[in-house]
Amino acid sequence: MNHKAVISATALAAAMTFSTASHAGATLDAVKEKGHVQCGVTTGLAGFSQSNDKGVWTGIDVDMCRAVAAAVFGDAGKVKFTPLTAKERFTALQSGEIDMLSRNTTWTLTRDSNLGLNFAGVNYYDGQGFLVSKDLGVKSATELDGAAICIQAGTTTELNLADYFRSKGMKYTPITFDRSEETIKAFEAGRCDVLTSDQSQLYALRIQLAKPESAIVLPEVVSKEPLGPVVRNGDEDWFKIVRWSLSAMLNAEELGISSANIDDLKESSTNPNVRRLIGLEGIKGQGLGLPDDWAYSIVKQVGNYSEVFERNVGKGSALGISRGLNALWADGGIQYAPPIR
Amino acid sequence: MAVIQHTPHEDLPPPVSQTGVIGWLRQNLFSSWLNSLLTLLAAYIVWKTLMPLIDWAFIKADWIGTSREDCSSGGACWVFVSVRFKQFMYGLYPEAEQWRINLMAILFVLLMIPMFIKNFPWKKWLGMFILFGFPIIGYYLLSGGAFGLEHIETSLWGGLTLTLVLAAVGIVAALPLGILLALGRRSKMPIVRALSVAFIELWRGVPLITVLFMASVMLPLFLPEGAQFDKLLRALIGIVLFQSAYMAEVVRGGLQAIPKGQYEAAEALGLSYWKSMGLIILPQALKLVIPGIVNTFIALFKDTTLVLIIGLFDLLAMIQSATQDTKWLGFSIEGYVFAAVTFWIFCFGMSRYSQALERKLHTGH
């Protein structure tokens, strides 16, 4: 039995090494040859990746893929999406089925070190939070001692919750469900006082209440969930392209460049930082092996980070999530990108 | 002596209390005070549960509109289903090419009609064509890439179309494979028998969900780079192999029910193995196990929804994905009800067809 396990583990490891090694440095060439970026997304997660009634994908994770396509091809439309479940996402990336994974994936040590993956940045800082009914009169998570809490089973959410309550010396009664729809229905029916999940999901669940304004999301965040795009180990060039595609969107917001004003700025701006991002001076796309106007294409066709955020999960969407941690560092958040120069 | 003709009085109609609606009610629902009480109680429960349902699904429901704002009556929001209806049917298949799926469906119905006509002369050939020729036409229609049709990747197939493709391929491929395995298991040749037993027991021993996981998560890791093949194909192969094992056991049940005399009679006629099976044993055995076969098919049809865990967008997955659209959050019940009704229609249809088939083939003793 043990012997067998060793053999299959070795075979698995060999297969993984093989598939990653054969890719080194070749992803960009392969992508160019195919003519599109193959991007792994969720099978449907409000605000992150969802398809509308015309089959068009939208979402903050989807826009990350489009940004990479815009950088590589100068055309944000040259991207194809592979909907993946949580269990198959890493295999799809390791086996080369997709070029990048932008699927609501938390950056952790285990994943970064053990799975042969590279996280190219953070496009959304999420964290586990609590949704409570307004009638409860609770203002902070520290007042939740003895509460009945609805959770989705089998997620790290359960573990985080236990850790948090134990560290605060509080008691709670967990009520677990299999799917988010059931969880929110149970919360609405009053089977639990509190519902816990990632904050981004709490907003999506809140809309499903008959009276969304009757519930509030508490300010406390009990876990760190930095979500970001992932690529395979062993192809630094491709890794950098994805990382800088994200950085370009953040830098554009910081510099006040948006899809609306970028053409004007291209003509008139004298700010060297703006001119460098647009690709009029500086290193341009040379180091990344991309066209000079790579960042221009991203901002023009996809938008800066603020546009992407507000359109998909922020004020421009039904979710109405505030920027919070995802605000730029200059505005009190922690979104910070290295400069383009 | 005069003959007295005795003419009996004409039969009186039975008393009103024993005929018609009233009679039926008295006999079946109110025959004793206990039954009357139970009837009233049951009626009350049905009324209490059914009325809110009808109220929700029909009376208070919203049918027409384009956005969630059109759903203001407080009942079911069928607008959600109608807006997404095309996607539930075709998945992410490009809109301009959806006529191909329609054409395929129409073609199938047209081919099936003669099969229901009693004395249609070329039934055998038509059946052969539906089983072997039509899948090829269907493949080229759906997938394209030939005859000037644009190639549509299987990742875009979805909705009810994908559910039907999975079920149809599973059914059509698993039956012959299952028959062969069943014959193999009863064969006198030790190696054939051992292989058949091993195959059947292996596939029956693992849950379908594991098979699908293996096909989608593990298999790609073992394939050399670039040799990855289509996810749908991987799932299909898994489903067919899995299903054929179950089918084999159903067919074996039929084979065992045939009296030994039939086998001996076939041998006495000097028929070869394949001839005696094909002409004498199998026609009887398969007829016996029609309920079992259809049962397996219905189970398979519903099992196809499991592909949602490997990211294929069958009807149920498409509905779940649609409920995640920020514009339509919170309408999952409507979506699930629609899925349930659709599945019920197909499964009920299959079950009725099998009953009709049993009656038709019943030659009795």
Side-chain angles (χ1 to χ4, degrees), chain A residues 31-72:
Chain A
V31 165
K32 278 184 176 159
E33 200 184 330
K34 271 188 298 190
H36 66 265
V37 176
Q38 193 77 42
C39 192
V41 295
T42 67
T43 51
L45 184 66
F48 285 83
S49 33
Q50 59 192 40
S51 66
N52 70 3
D53 48 352
K54 295 276 170 290
V56 179
W57 287 90
T58 57
I60 196 167
D61 281 349
V62 165
D63 280 345
M64 188 63 236
C65 307
R66 292 199 203 282
V68 173
V72 173

Short mmCIF file of all heavy atoms in Angstrom, two decimals, chain A residues 31-72:
data_model
loop_
_atom_site.label_atom_id
_atom_site.label_comp_id
_atom_site.label_asym_id
_atom_site.label_seq_id
_atom_site.Cartn_x
_atom_site.Cartn_y
_atom_site.Cartn_z
N VAL A 31 1.38 31.68 -26.74
CA VAL A 31 0.18 32.52 -26.75
C VAL A 31 0.07 33.29 -28.05
O VAL A 31 -0.99 33.36 -28.68
CB VAL A 31 0.20 33.49 -25.54
CG1 VAL A 31 -0.81 34.60 -25.71
CG2 VAL A 31 -0.07 32.72 -24.25
N LYS A 32 1.21 33.85 -28.49
CA LYS A 32 1.20 34.61 -29.75
C LYS A 32 0.82 33.72 -30.92
O LYS A 32 0.09 34.12 -31.82
CB LYS A 32 2.57 35.24 -29.98
CG LYS A 32 2.77 36.55 -29.22
CD LYS A 32 4.10 37.15 -29.59
CE LYS A 32 4.29 38.50 -28.91
NZ LYS A 32 5.71 38.86 -28.85
N GLU A 33 1.32 32.50 -30.88
CA GLU A 33 1.04 31.58 -31.99
C GLU A 33 -0.44 31.21 -32.03
O GLU A 33 -1.06 31.15 -33.08
CB GLU A 33 1.90 30.33 -31.83
CG GLU A 33 2.05 29.55 -33.12
CD GLU A 33 2.82 28.26 -32.89
OE1 GLU A 33 3.67 28.24 -31.99
OE2 GLU A 33 2.55 27.30 -33.61
N LYS A 34 -0.99 30.95 -30.82
CA LYS A 34 -2.42 30.61 -30.73
C LYS A 34 -3.29 31.78 -31.14
O LYS A 34 -4.37 31.63 -31.67
CB LYS A 34 -2.78 30.28 -29.27
CG LYS A 34 -2.60 28.85 -28.88
CD LYS A 34 -3.19 28.62 -27.48
CE LYS A 34 -2.52 29.44 -26.40
NZ LYS A 34 -2.88 29.09 -25.03
N GLY A 35 -2.81 32.99 -30.81
CA GLY A 35 -3.59 34.18 -31.12
C GLY A 35 -4.56 34.57 -30.03
O GLY A 35 -5.37 35.47 -30.21
N HIS A 36 -4.48 33.91 -28.88
CA HIS A 36 -5.31 34.33 -27.76
C HIS A 36 -4.70 33.85 -26.44
O HIS A 36 -3.89 32.94 -26.42
CB HIS A 36 -6.73 33.79 -27.90
CG HIS A 36 -6.83 32.30 -27.81
ND1 HIS A 36 -6.84 31.47 -28.90
CD2 HIS A 36 -6.89 31.48 -26.72
CE1 HIS A 36 -6.91 30.22 -28.51
NE2 HIS A 36 -6.93 30.19 -27.20
N VAL A 37 -5.11 34.51 -25.36
CA VAL A 37 -4.72 34.08 -24.03
C VAL A 37 -5.81 33.14 -23.52
O VAL A 37 -6.99 33.47 -23.59
CB VAL A 37 -4.59 35.28 -23.07
CG1 VAL A 37 -4.28 34.81 -21.66
CG2 VAL A 37 -3.54 36.25 -23.56
N GLN A 38 -5.42 31.97 -23.05
CA GLN A 38 -6.40 31.04 -22.47
C GLN A 38 -6.40 31.25 -20.97
O GLN A 38 -5.39 31.02 -20.31
CB GLN A 38 -6.02 29.61 -22.82
CG GLN A 38 -7.12 28.60 -22.55
CD GLN A 38 -8.21 28.62 -23.61
OE1 GLN A 38 -7.92 28.72 -24.79
NE2 GLN A 38 -9.47 28.57 -23.19
N CYS A 39 -7.52 31.70 -20.45
CA CYS A 39 -7.55 32.15 -19.07
C CYS A 39 -8.55 31.35 -18.25
O CYS A 39 -9.71 31.20 -18.63
CB CYS A 39 -7.92 33.63 -19.04
SG CYS A 39 -7.67 34.40 -17.46
N GLY A 40 -8.12 30.83 -17.11
CA GLY A 40 -9.01 30.06 -16.24
C GLY A 40 -9.78 30.97 -15.30
O GLY A 40 -9.18 31.80 -14.62
N VAL A 41 -11.10 30.84 -15.29
CA VAL A 41 -11.93 31.66 -14.41
C VAL A 41 -12.88 30.74 -13.64
O VAL A 41 -12.85 29.53 -13.80
CB VAL A 41 -12.75 32.69 -15.23
CG1 VAL A 41 -11.83 33.70 -15.88
CG2 VAL A 41 -13.62 32.01 -16.26
N THR A 42 -13.73 31.32 -12.78
CA THR A 42 -14.68 30.49 -12.05
C THR A 42 -15.82 30.08 -12.98
O THR A 42 -15.97 30.63 -14.06
CB THR A 42 -15.33 31.25 -10.87
OG1 THR A 42 -16.15 32.28 -11.41
CG2 THR A 42 -14.30 31.86 -9.97
N THR A 43 -16.63 29.14 -12.52
CA THR A 43 -17.81 28.78 -13.30
C THR A 43 -18.94 29.76 -13.03
O THR A 43 -20.03 29.60 -13.54
CB THR A 43 -18.28 27.36 -12.94
OG1 THR A 43 -18.40 27.28 -11.52
CG2 THR A 43 -17.29 26.31 -13.41
N GLY A 44 -18.68 30.77 -12.24
CA GLY A 44 -19.69 31.77 -11.96
C GLY A 44 -19.58 32.24 -10.53
O GLY A 44 -19.88 31.49 -9.61
N LEU A 45 -19.10 33.49 -10.34
CA LEU A 45 -18.98 34.04 -9.00
C LEU A 45 -19.24 35.54 -9.14
O LEU A 45 -18.49 36.23 -9.82
CB LEU A 45 -17.59 33.78 -8.43
CG LEU A 45 -17.38 34.22 -6.99
CD1 LEU A 45 -18.24 33.40 -6.04
CD2 LEU A 45 -15.92 34.08 -6.60
N ALA A 46 -20.29 35.98 -8.50
CA ALA A 46 -20.76 37.35 -8.70
C ALA A 46 -19.62 38.36 -8.54
O ALA A 46 -18.92 38.36 -7.54
CB ALA A 46 -21.87 37.67 -7.72
N GLY A 47 -19.46 39.22 -9.54
CA GLY A 47 -18.49 40.29 -9.48
C GLY A 47 -17.09 39.88 -9.91
O GLY A 47 -16.32 40.70 -10.37
N PHE A 48 -16.75 38.61 -9.78
CA PHE A 48 -15.40 38.17 -10.11
C PHE A 48 -15.32 37.57 -11.52
O PHE A 48 -14.51 38.00 -12.32
CB PHE A 48 -14.89 37.19 -9.06
CG PHE A 48 -14.52 37.88 -7.79
CD1 PHE A 48 -15.49 38.18 -6.85
CD2 PHE A 48 -13.23 38.28 -7.56
CE1 PHE A 48 -15.16 38.86 -5.68
CE2 PHE A 48 -12.88 38.96 -6.40
CZ PHE A 48 -13.86 39.26 -5.47
N SER A 49 -16.12 36.59 -11.78
CA SER A 49 -16.26 36.13 -13.16
C SER A 49 -17.65 35.57 -13.33
O SER A 49 -18.03 34.64 -12.63
CB SER A 49 -15.20 35.11 -13.54
OG SER A 49 -14.83 34.31 -12.45
N GLN A 50 -18.39 36.17 -14.21
CA GLN A 50 -19.77 35.75 -14.46
C GLN A 50 -20.04 35.96 -15.94
O GLN A 50 -19.42 36.81 -16.57
CB GLN A 50 -20.73 36.61 -13.63
CG GLN A 50 -20.60 38.09 -13.95
CD GLN A 50 -21.33 38.98 -12.94
OE1 GLN A 50 -21.31 38.73 -11.76
NE2 GLN A 50 -21.94 40.03 -13.43
N SER A 51 -20.92 35.13 -16.50
CA SER A 51 -21.26 35.35 -17.90
C SER A 51 -22.68 35.87 -17.97
O SER A 51 -23.56 35.41 -17.25
CB SER A 51 -21.10 34.06 -18.70
OG SER A 51 -22.03 33.10 -18.27
N ASN A 52 -22.91 36.84 -18.85
CA ASN A 52 -24.26 37.42 -18.93
C ASN A 52 -25.13 36.62 -19.89
O ASN A 52 -24.73 35.58 -20.39
CB ASN A 52 -24.18 38.90 -19.31
CG ASN A 52 -23.75 39.10 -20.75
OD1 ASN A 52 -23.56 38.14 -21.48
ND2 ASN A 52 -23.60 40.33 -21.16
N ASP A 53 -26.33 37.13 -20.16
CA ASP A 53 -27.25 36.34 -20.98
C ASP A 53 -26.81 36.23 -22.43
O ASP A 53 -27.36 35.45 -23.19
CB ASP A 53 -28.69 36.88 -20.87
CG ASP A 53 -28.76 38.38 -21.06
OD1 ASP A 53 -27.69 39.01 -21.11
OD2 ASP A 53 -29.86 38.92 -21.16
N LYS A 54 -25.81 37.00 -22.81
CA LYS A 54 -25.26 36.86 -24.17
C LYS A 54 -24.01 35.97 -24.17
O LYS A 54 -23.36 35.80 -25.18
CB LYS A 54 -24.91 38.23 -24.74
CG LYS A 54 -26.11 39.13 -24.95
CD LYS A 54 -26.78 38.84 -26.29
CE LYS A 54 -28.11 39.55 -26.41
NZ LYS A 54 -29.16 38.98 -25.52
N GLY A 55 -23.66 35.47 -22.99
CA GLY A 55 -22.49 34.61 -22.90
C GLY A 55 -21.19 35.40 -22.80
O GLY A 55 -20.11 34.83 -22.94
N VAL A 56 -21.28 36.71 -22.57
CA VAL A 56 -20.08 37.53 -22.44
C VAL A 56 -19.62 37.50 -20.99
O VAL A 56 -20.41 37.70 -20.07
CB VAL A 56 -20.36 38.99 -22.86
CG1 VAL A 56 -19.12 39.85 -22.70
CG2 VAL A 56 -20.87 39.04 -24.29
N TRP A 57 -18.32 37.23 -20.81
CA TRP A 57 -17.79 37.16 -19.44
C TRP A 57 -17.45 38.55 -18.93
O TRP A 57 -16.87 39.36 -19.65
CB TRP A 57 -16.54 36.29 -19.40
CG TRP A 57 -16.83 34.85 -19.55
CD1 TRP A 57 -16.89 34.15 -20.72
CD2 TRP A 57 -17.13 33.91 -18.51
NE1 TRP A 57 -17.21 32.84 -20.46
CE2 TRP A 57 -17.35 32.66 -19.12
CE3 TRP A 57 -17.22 34.01 -17.12
CZ2 TRP A 57 -17.67 31.53 -18.38
CZ3 TRP A 57 -17.54 32.88 -16.39
CH2 TRP A 57 -17.76 31.65 -17.02
N THR A 58 -17.81 38.82 -17.68
CA THR A 58 -17.42 40.07 -17.03
C THR A 58 -16.95 39.74 -15.63
O THR A 58 -17.18 38.64 -15.14
CB THR A 58 -18.61 41.05 -16.93
OG1 THR A 58 -19.66 40.41 -16.23
CG2 THR A 58 -19.08 41.51 -18.29
N GLY A 59 -16.33 40.74 -14.98
CA GLY A 59 -15.88 40.53 -13.61
C GLY A 59 -14.47 41.03 -13.43
O GLY A 59 -13.75 41.27 -14.40
N ILE A 60 -14.08 41.20 -12.18
CA ILE A 60 -12.78 41.78 -11.87
C ILE A 60 -11.67 40.79 -12.27
O ILE A 60 -10.61 41.19 -12.78
CB ILE A 60 -12.71 42.19 -10.38
CG1 ILE A 60 -11.55 43.13 -10.12
CG2 ILE A 60 -12.65 40.99 -9.47
CD1 ILE A 60 -11.63 43.79 -8.75
N ASP A 61 -11.92 39.50 -12.10
CA ASP A 61 -10.93 38.49 -12.51
C ASP A 61 -10.86 38.38 -14.03
O ASP A 61 -9.79 38.16 -14.61
CB ASP A 61 -11.32 37.12 -11.93
CG ASP A 61 -10.92 36.99 -10.47
OD1 ASP A 61 -10.19 37.87 -9.98
OD2 ASP A 61 -11.36 36.03 -9.82
N VAL A 62 -12.02 38.52 -14.66
CA VAL A 62 -12.08 38.46 -16.12
C VAL A 62 -11.31 39.63 -16.74
O VAL A 62 -10.58 39.48 -17.72
CB VAL A 62 -13.55 38.46 -16.58
CG1 VAL A 62 -13.66 38.76 -18.06
CG2 VAL A 62 -14.20 37.13 -16.25
N ASP A 63 -11.45 40.82 -16.11
CA ASP A 63 -10.76 41.99 -16.64
C ASP A 63 -9.24 41.85 -16.50
O ASP A 63 -8.49 42.42 -17.28
CB ASP A 63 -11.25 43.26 -15.94
CG ASP A 63 -12.59 43.72 -16.53
OD1 ASP A 63 -12.93 43.22 -17.62
OD2 ASP A 63 -13.27 44.54 -15.90
N MET A 64 -8.81 41.09 -15.50
CA MET A 64 -7.38 40.81 -15.36
C MET A 64 -6.88 40.06 -16.61
O MET A 64 -5.83 40.37 -17.17
CB MET A 64 -7.17 39.97 -14.09
CG MET A 64 -5.73 39.75 -13.67
SD MET A 64 -4.88 41.26 -13.27
CE MET A 64 -3.51 41.15 -14.39
N CYS A 65 -7.67 39.08 -17.04
CA CYS A 65 -7.30 38.33 -18.25
C CYS A 65 -7.30 39.24 -19.47
O CYS A 65 -6.41 39.17 -20.31
CB CYS A 65 -8.30 37.19 -18.51
SG CYS A 65 -8.55 36.11 -17.12
N ARG A 66 -8.32 40.09 -19.56
CA ARG A 66 -8.41 40.98 -20.71
C ARG A 66 -7.22 41.94 -20.74
O ARG A 66 -6.72 42.29 -21.81
CB ARG A 66 -9.71 41.79 -20.65
CG ARG A 66 -10.96 40.95 -20.84
CD ARG A 66 -12.14 41.84 -21.24
NE ARG A 66 -13.41 41.23 -20.92
CZ ARG A 66 -13.97 40.26 -21.64
NH1 ARG A 66 -13.38 39.84 -22.73
NH2 ARG A 66 -15.13 39.75 -21.28
N ALA A 67 -6.78 42.38 -19.55
CA ALA A 67 -5.64 43.29 -19.49
C ALA A 67 -4.40 42.62 -20.07
O ALA A 67 -3.65 43.24 -20.84
CB ALA A 67 -5.39 43.72 -18.04
N VAL A 68 -4.20 41.35 -19.73
CA VAL A 68 -3.03 40.64 -20.26
C VAL A 68 -3.15 40.51 -21.79
O VAL A 68 -2.18 40.71 -22.52
CB VAL A 68 -2.88 39.26 -19.59
CG1 VAL A 68 -1.79 38.45 -20.26
CG2 VAL A 68 -2.59 39.42 -18.11
N ALA A 69 -4.35 40.20 -22.25
CA ALA A 69 -4.56 40.09 -23.70
C ALA A 69 -4.28 41.43 -24.37
O ALA A 69 -3.66 41.49 -25.44
CB ALA A 69 -5.98 39.64 -24.00
N ALA A 70 -4.73 42.52 -23.73
CA ALA A 70 -4.50 43.85 -24.30
C ALA A 70 -3.01 44.15 -24.36
O ALA A 70 -2.51 44.71 -25.34
CB ALA A 70 -5.23 44.90 -23.47
N ALA A 71 -2.28 43.76 -23.30
CA ALA A 71 -0.84 44.01 -23.28
C ALA A 71 -0.13 43.22 -24.37
O ALA A 71 0.76 43.75 -25.06
CB ALA A 71 -0.28 43.65 -21.90
N VAL A 72 -0.51 41.99 -24.56
CA VAL A 72 0.19 41.12 -25.51
C VAL A 72 -0.20 41.43 -26.95
O VAL A 72 0.65 41.56 -27.82
CB VAL A 72 -0.08 39.63 -25.19
CG1 VAL A 72 0.52 38.74 -26.27
CG2 VAL A 72 0.49 39.27 -23.83
#
